[in-house]
Amino acid sequence: MNKTLFFFVIALILLSFNTVSAQYGYGNGYGYGGYGMGRNSMSQMSQPDTKPKEIPVEVTVGKIMEKLKPELNLDELQTIAIANVYTDIIKSQTAIMKDEKLSQQQKSDEIKALFEVNERKVNEYLNEEQRQKYKALKEERGKDKKDKKKKKKEDE
């Protein structure tokens, strides 16, 4: 009976040590860096925020205008007016994309309508020659997007 009690006490002690070390981390009872902070806790703490940062509207509009101004030979007044139109449309597009009440199809329809309005507003500030160049640029951009989609599908 004495040996059975001895083994029972030893087993109880070993189980209690295992439980204590499991609560505090790996091996040494204190984990890596403090109580209860094992490998998983440390790796989660050190990882940077993976949420993509939003690009400011002004930066996006600036890039668009860098391309349009020389291509369309815009004067300063046209540049400012068209930049304002693009600023408004990008803000509206962002608001539509963030609206959780709308379905994906509704968002798509509203953005298409927004781009049609945008094109009309931009064309109001352009002369006939600039309108033709603007139309050609839009068609070229559309072809580039289609080509990229085809390449993506072929690569997969």
Side-chain angles (χ1 to χ4, degrees):
M1 177 100 177
N2 199 8
K3 287 184 180 183
T4 309
L5 184 60
F6 177 74
F7 286 121
F8 180 71
V9 171
I10 296 293
L12 186 62
I13 291 171
L14 288 176
L15 285 174
S16 65
F17 281 137
N18 192 19
T19 304
V20 170
S21 68
Q23 289 178 1
Y24 288 111
Y26 298 96
N28 64 2
Y30 293 67
Y32 295 99
Y35 288 93
M37 296 181 75
R39 292 180 191 188
N40 293 336
S41 299
M42 289 302 289
S43 65
Q44 289 172 355
M45 288 176 51
S46 65
Q47 288 179 351
D49 191 14
T50 57
K51 188 176 179 181
K53 295 180 181 179
E54 274 189 35
I55 299 171
V57 175
E58 293 77 18
V59 172
T60 305
V61 171
K63 288 181 181 180
I64 293 169
M65 296 312 297
E66 281 178 15
K67 183 171 182 168
L68 285 182
K69 188 174 180 178
E71 293 280 338
L72 301 178
N73 196 22
L74 300 174
D75 63 29
E76 286 305 311
L77 184 60
Q78 288 175 315
T79 303
I80 293 169
I82 292 172
N84 288 335
V85 170
Y86 273 103
T87 300
D88 291 342
I89 195 163
I90 291 172
K91 287 180 180 178
S92 298
Q93 179 184 2
T94 303
I96 290 169
M97 293 305 292
K98 289 183 179 179
D99 189 355
E100 295 177 3
K101 296 176 187 174
L102 299 175
S103 70
Q104 207 58 31
Q105 182 62 41
Q106 289 171 324
K107 288 179 184 180
S108 176
D109 292 343
E110 285 197 30
I111 289 174
K112 284 179 186 176
L114 204 58
F115 281 113
E116 289 173 8
V117 170
N118 178 57
E119 190 164 340
R120 275 189 246 127
K121 286 182 179 180
V122 169
N123 280 323
E124 289 175 7
Y125 296 108
L126 302 176
N127 61 36
E128 189 57 40
E129 181 183 333
Q130 290 170 325
R131 283 187 193 120
Q132 296 299 323
K133 289 179 182 178
Y134 182 68
K135 185 177 179 181
L137 282 172
K138 289 187 74 78
E139 288 173 359
E140 181 182 315
R141 192 180 80 206
K143 287 179 184 177
D144 289 344
K145 285 183 179 180
K146 287 179 183 177
D147 290 343
K148 287 180 182 178
K149 284 183 182 179
K150 285 181 183 178
K151 284 183 181 179
K152 235 183 200 181
K153 286 181 181 179
E154 290 173 0
D155 290 341
E156 294 173 356

